[in-house]
């Protein structure tokens, strides 16, 4: 199951286990059960403090639980936690065995203070790069608080159960049998949902902070670079981070980041956060800005209002809020989101195994999505609005070679149909004007990005497409407010360009602070 290199690394990790732990399997006669059995016994063989047995009575089979010796498991893996979830397994072993988590004491105290019984279930796919953070957060809560238990469920392995619960997007979290949340969530977000009072306490603490010299709104590549450059200048720096990494978290293969031959978005996001936190940056997450009040005059303070009710003040503000998936904006899209309408083929594709799906968009992202999905689904139909695909020639050639892929050009999607979940879409032939219907179970939207600038409309100048207008120094139309990255009017939305723009905006903010201080 595990190769020698992974075994050696895992054995080194298990040396950090302080208390004996047990791996308790509940198995059936499936191939997955055989794999789970092999895995837990291989792990147990690597440490004298780990034992494995197969006499579990957990109702969901095949699965295994992790617990301190003599205790009932509160962490379960219903499926084989490999791929992106292997790290979740390692952390569960270490934390159950008494190794301290990398979480501040205040957060741990919040977890301990939660009262009640919380039975979480998270449906995941092993190819999902957003799922591990949710799984790891809930596993940690189960380790710290005896009232919390958590089960990771591989939706592809338990496809019947996933269909019964109408799960068509991952991660999907249930609490005590009821839907709790869908999509990426971090530990702070989960705590805020089950204990609303925590958010109010955070808002009060945030509002009490002294004014910053530079306040960065956004924590993607541009925001991270801006924060690092500001902190290195010795400026009092704050960062409003809705989710660290931003759109990078939804990017898998990155092969054009100069000096790094290849990496993945989630790995780069972790590296960004580690780099930022190595400096004296006050990171506030998960927080979302809802309004910016610019300085009344040069040298005055700007104000940034947050969704939780807090208000921050700063001498300068750098907006680096990035972009999000563009929607089709047709009837049925919002109603069937996570019920057949999806935006991440890597995460949600395995849930559509053997089904019929469509991909909307003929650029690189759309064609790549269609190619990936063709290896999982029964048939994929790609709909392109224009009269030709816009993807690279090599991708078009690959797509054309697939026997279960169809391309329809000059197709404008007009409606998503269904009852309790997607059962088809309607498109109009832009040449003939005729309407056509396609019967299918899933739709993956890949039509580009839209800037996250709704909260500043009417405050500073933005383009018709919603991008923040900036000059060559990253300065917006308002003094003291700068912007960088994919939310701005710069061409070529690339990670490496966003980082450079973030650094430039930060240097411009520093120059502004020097000049306004000198003038006053």
């Amino acid at each position: 199951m595990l190769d020698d290199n992974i075994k050696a690394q895992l054995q080194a990790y298990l040396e950090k286990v302080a208390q004996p732990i047990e791996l308790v399997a509940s198995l059936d006669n499936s191939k997955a059960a055989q794999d789970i059995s092999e895995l837990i016994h291989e792990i147990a063989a690597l440490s004298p403090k780990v034992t494995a047995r197969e006499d579990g009575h957990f109702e969901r089979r095949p699965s295994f639980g992790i617990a301190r010796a003599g205790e009932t498991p509160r962490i379960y893996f219903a499926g084989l936690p490999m791929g992106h979830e292997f790290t979740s397994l390692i952390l569960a072993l270490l934390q159950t065995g008494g190794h301290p988590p990398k979480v501040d004491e205040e957060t741990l105290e919040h977890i301990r203070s939660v009262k009640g019984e919380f039975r979480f279930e998270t449906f995941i796919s092993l190819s999902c790069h957003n799922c591990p953070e949710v799984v790891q957060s809930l596993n940690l809560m189960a380790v710290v608080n005896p009232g919390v238990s958590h089960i990771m469920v591989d939706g592809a392995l338990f496809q019947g159960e996933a269909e019964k619960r109408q799960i068509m997007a991952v991660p999907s979290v249930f609490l005590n049998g009821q839907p709790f949340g869908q999509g990426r969530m971090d530990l702070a977000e989960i705590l805020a949902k089950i204990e609303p009072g925590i958010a109010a306490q955070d808002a009060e603490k945030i509002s009490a902070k002294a004014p910053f010299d530079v306040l960065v709104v956004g924590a993607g590549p541009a925001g991270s670079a801006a924060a690092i450059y500001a902190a290195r200048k010795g400026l009092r720096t704050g960062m409003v981070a809705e989710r660290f990494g931003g759109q990078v978290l939804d990017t898998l293969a990155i092969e054009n980041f100069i000096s790094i031959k290849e990496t993945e978005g989630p790995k780069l996001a972790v590296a960004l956060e580690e780099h930022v936190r190595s400096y004296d940056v006050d990171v506030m997450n998960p927080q979302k800005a809802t309004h910016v009040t610019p300085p009344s005059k040069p040298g005055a303070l700007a104000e940034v209002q947050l969704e939780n009710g807090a208000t921050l003040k700063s001498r300068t503000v750098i907006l680096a809020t990035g972009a999000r998936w563009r929607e089709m904006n047709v009837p049925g899209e919002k109603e069937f989101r996570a019920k057949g309408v999806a935006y991440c083929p890597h995460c949600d594709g395995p849930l559509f195994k053997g089904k019929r799906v469509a991909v909307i968009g003929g650029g690189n992202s759309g064609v790549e999505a269609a190619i990936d999905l063709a290896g999982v689904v029964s048939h994929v139909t790609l709909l392109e609005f224009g009269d030709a695909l816009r993807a690279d020639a090599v991708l078009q050639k690959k797509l054309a070679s697939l026997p279960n892929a169809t391309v329809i050009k000059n197709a404008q999607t007009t409606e998503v149909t269904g009852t309790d979940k997607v059962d088809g879409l309607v498109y109009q032939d832009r040449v003939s004007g005729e309407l056509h219907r396609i019967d299918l179970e899933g739709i993956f939207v890949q039509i580009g990005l839209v800037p996250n600038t709704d909260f500043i409309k009417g405050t500073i100048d933005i383009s018709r497409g919603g991008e923040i207008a900036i000059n060559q120094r990253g300065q917006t139309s308002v003094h003291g407010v700068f912007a960088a990255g994919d939310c701005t009017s710069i061409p070529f939305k690339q990670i490496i360009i966003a980082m450079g723009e973030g650094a430039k905006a930060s240097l411009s903010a520093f120059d502004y602070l020097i000049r306004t201080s000198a003038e006053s």
Side-chain angles (χ1 to χ4, degrees):
M1 177 59 63
L2 303 176
D3 62 36
D4 291 340
N5 184 45
I6 291 178
K7 284 182 180 179
Q9 294 179 40
L10 185 54
Q11 186 170 32
Y13 281 123
L14 292 177
E15 290 177 0
K16 301 176 182 178
V17 171
Q19 303 176 37
I21 58 177
E22 293 181 326
L23 308 181
V24 185
S26 302
L27 305 176
D28 53 20
N29 295 321
S30 65
K31 173 63 167 59
Q34 296 175 21
D35 291 339
I36 287 175
S37 174
E38 184 178 349
L39 175 65
I40 65 171
H41 286 292
E42 284 186 357
I43 294 173
L46 298 176
S47 171
K49 292 183 179 178
V50 181
T51 57
R53 53 189 177 88
E54 300 180 5
D55 57 352
H57 301 286
F58 191 54
E59 66 273 11
R60 193 180 274 109
R61 297 170 183 265
S63 64
F64 69 97
I66 302 176
R68 291 178 182 173
E71 296 184 0
T72 300
R74 298 197 296 269
I75 295 174
Y76 286 91
F77 291 92
L80 204 64
M82 304 303 285
H84 290 295
E85 292 298 345
F86 191 62
T87 300
S88 301
L89 170 61
I90 293 174
L91 290 175
L93 293 168
L94 294 178
Q95 292 167 2
T96 302
H99 186 68
K102 293 182 179 180
V103 177
D104 62 87
E105 184 57 37
E106 183 178 8
T107 299
L108 292 175
E109 188 54 41
H110 278 163
I111 298 172
R112 296 187 192 102
S113 68
V114 173
K115 305 298 182 183
E117 293 295 322
F118 299 87
R119 184 172 59 87
F120 287 100
E121 301 165 281
T122 303
F123 284 78
I124 61 95
S125 70
L126 297 178
S127 60
C128 172
H129 49 279
N130 287 324
C131 295
E133 182 168 11
V134 178
V135 171
Q136 292 162 22
S137 296
L138 291 170
N139 282 349
L140 173 60
M141 290 178 62
V143 169
V144 175
N145 189 321
V148 179
S149 65
H150 177 236
I151 308 157
M152 182 216 81
V153 184
D154 181 356
L157 180 61
F158 291 86
Q159 193 167 18
E161 185 176 355
E163 291 178 354
K164 184 177 180 180
R165 295 201 190 191
Q166 297 184 5
I167 296 169
M168 307 186 81
V170 292
S172 286
V173 182
F174 290 77
L175 172 57
N176 298 334
Q178 299 299 315
F180 176 78
Q182 193 276 322
R184 191 183 186 98
M185 292 182 287
D186 65 16
L187 182 57
E189 290 176 280
I190 295 169
L191 285 171
K193 287 193 72 171
I194 63 175
E195 284 289 321
I198 292 176
Q201 295 173 20
D202 288 343
E204 186 177 346
K205 292 178 182 178
I206 290 173
S207 294
K209 293 179 183 290
F212 294 97
D213 295 319
V214 176
L215 180 62
V216 180
V217 181
S224 297
I228 290 169
Y229 266 71
R232 285 176 62 86
K233 291 292 186 182
L235 301 174
R236 176 170 162 73
T237 306
M239 172 181 270
V240 176
E242 185 175 359
R243 63 171 190 160
F244 232 104
Q247 195 69 25
V248 165
L249 290 167
D250 301 322
T251 306
L252 283 187
I254 298 174
E255 299 175 346
N256 58 356
F257 190 79
I258 311 306
S259 81
I260 298 176
K261 186 176 180 181
E262 59 183 27
T263 186
E264 294 181 347
K267 291 182 180 179
L268 180 57
V270 170
L272 289 174
E273 183 169 7
E274 289 179 348
H275 198 173
V276 169
R277 291 186 182 277
S278 69
Y279 289 93
D280 189 15
V281 177
D282 188 346
V283 179
M284 292 158 277
N285 70 309
Q287 303 297 338
K288 182 179 180 179
T290 56
H291 185 69
V292 175
T293 303
S296 57
K297 61 181 180 179
L301 294 176
E303 291 188 354
V304 175
Q305 285 76 45
L306 305 184
E307 193 172 58
N308 68 355
T311 299
L312 292 163
K313 296 180 179 181
S314 183
R315 297 170 65 194
T316 62
V317 174
I318 298 176
L319 302 171
T321 48
R324 63 187 183 277
W325 293 115
R326 186 180 298 277
E327 299 176 352
M328 296 182 292
N329 292 318
V330 299
E333 180 180 18
K334 290 185 178 179
E335 292 84 346
F336 294 107
R337 183 175 295 163
K339 296 180 180 179
V341 176
Y343 299 85
C344 181
H346 303 291
C347 298
D348 302 330
L351 297 175
F352 294 84
K353 183 178 180 179
K355 300 182 183 299
R356 300 160 300 175
V357 304
V359 173
I360 312 300
N364 280 350
S365 296
V367 174
E368 287 176 350
I371 292 170
D372 288 344
L373 289 166
V376 177
V377 304
S378 63
H379 190 273
V380 56
T381 302
L382 185 143
L383 283 77
E384 162 57 33
F385 183 84
D387 58 6
L389 298 181
R390 294 164 285 113
D392 294 342
V394 64
L395 294 175
Q396 294 189 43
K397 184 177 181 180
K398 173 63 177 177
L399 181 63
S401 71
L402 300 176
N404 62 335
T406 300
V407 175
I408 302 176
K409 302 171 185 175
N410 289 308
Q412 180 177 0
T413 304
T414 59
E415 184 183 4
V416 176
T417 64
T419 50
D420 54 351
K421 59 183 178 180
V422 167
D423 64 16
L425 66 77
V426 178
Y427 74 90
Q428 182 179 43
D429 186 312
R430 296 179 57 245
V431 176
S432 68
E434 295 180 3
L435 293 176
H436 301 272
R437 173 183 166 81
I438 304 175
D439 294 328
L440 42 73
E441 290 78 36
I443 301 170
F444 290 83
V445 183
Q446 300 283 292
I447 54 175
L449 303 171
V450 59
N452 295 317
T453 56
D454 293 342
F455 73 104
I456 54 163
K457 288 181 178 178
T459 303
I460 62 178
D461 289 348
I462 60 175
S463 70
R464 186 175 179 181
E467 297 175 330
I468 301 172
I470 58 173
N471 63 16
Q472 70 272 20
R473 298 173 65 86
Q475 173 70 57
T476 70
S477 60
V478 176
H479 49 245
V481 180
F482 303 82
D486 287 4
C487 66
T488 72
S489 55
I490 63 160
F492 312 121
K493 312 302 186 186
Q494 297 288 309
I495 293 171
I496 197 164
I497 292 175
M499 287 183 171
E501 290 291 309
K504 181 171 68 177
S506 192
L507 292 172
S508 295
F510 177 66
D511 184 66
Y512 168 87
L513 290 170
I514 292 175
R515 294 177 185 276
T516 53
S517 297
E519 291 172 2
S520 61

